[in-house]
């Protein structure tokens, strides 16, 4: 190709390949599991220390304190995202709010409507909520297509 013709072609920034689905899902489950275990241990320890705060306040504070670290781990390992924090973090928070509502809905259905026993119902609620959460985080909060640089035509 001639240098003149090549100079007329626009430069397209290289696209990073999307994070692999299976590896991302494994990381998502591992990070979620470690986050849940950390939450249980931290909450139990702080309640055991009898800080003077109500148990529900300690529980809420521990949950809130883990949001950003878990977000950062998911951003890096589950989704290998380079999405700017100013967009990805609010979206992550919105997904967490949606997940809370979904967990309530799924719990109502499996406990109230289907009258499943507690253990299988809880496992099903966790699986359904986490599955939807993973897909929405992958396709919206951490999606790479949203963060590309606009190239004028």
């Amino acid at each position: 190709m001639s240098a003149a013709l090549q100079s007329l072609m626009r430069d397209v920034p290289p696209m990073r390949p999307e994070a692999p689905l299976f590896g991302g899902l494994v990381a998502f489950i591992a990070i979620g599991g470690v986050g849940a275990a950390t939450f249980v241990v931290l909450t139990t320890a702080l309640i055991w220390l009898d800080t003077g705060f109500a148990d529900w306040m300690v529980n809420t504070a521990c949950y809130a304190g883990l949001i950003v670290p878990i977000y950062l781990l998911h951003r890096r390992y589950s989704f290998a995202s380079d999405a700017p924090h100013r967009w990805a973090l609010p979206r992550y928070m919105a997904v967490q709010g949606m997940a809370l509502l979904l967990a309530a809905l799924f719990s109502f259905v499996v406990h109230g409507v289907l009258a499943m026993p507690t253990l299988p119902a809880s496992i099903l609620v966790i699986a359904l909520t986490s599955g939807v959460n993973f897909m929405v985080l992958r396709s919206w909060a951490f999606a790479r297509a949203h963060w590309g640089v606009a190239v004028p035509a």
Side-chain angles (χ1 to χ4, degrees):
M1 176 181 315
S2 73
L5 184 57
Q6 190 171 1
S7 70
L8 294 174
M9 296 179 68
R10 63 182 175 158
D11 289 330
V12 178
M15 296 291 292
R16 285 182 46 191
E18 198 166 297
L21 180 62
F22 182 72
L25 182 58
V26 170
F28 181 81
I29 292 168
I31 290 166
V34 169
T38 302
F39 168 74
V40 169
V41 168
L42 186 61
T43 301
T44 302
L46 289 175
I47 289 173
W48 180 78
L49 287 174
D50 196 22
T51 60
F53 293 101
D55 292 354
W56 69 269
M57 292 175 80
V58 172
N59 192 295
T60 303
C62 290
Y63 188 91
L66 289 171
I67 290 173
V68 172
I70 298 298
Y71 156 78
L72 292 170
L73 289 170
H74 279 315
R75 180 179 184 270
R76 171 76 170 99
Y77 297 105
S78 302
F79 304 103
S81 178
D82 54 0
H85 294 298
R86 69 179 178 271
W87 290 317
L89 183 57
R91 288 178 178 209
Y92 179 83
M93 299 298 284
V95 172
Q96 295 312 307
M98 177 228 31
L100 184 59
L101 294 174
L102 275 178
L105 175 67
F106 292 148
S107 294
F108 174 78
V109 171
V110 299
H111 287 289
V113 176
L114 301 177
M116 289 178 69
T118 303
L119 182 60
S122 297
I123 291 170
L124 185 58
V125 168
I126 289 169
L128 290 171
T129 305
S130 297
V132 172
N133 205 14
F134 176 78
M135 295 310 294
V136 174
L137 286 171
R138 182 176 171 80
S139 64
W140 182 58
F142 295 115
R144 292 208 169 117
H146 298 284
W147 319 118
V149 176
V151 178

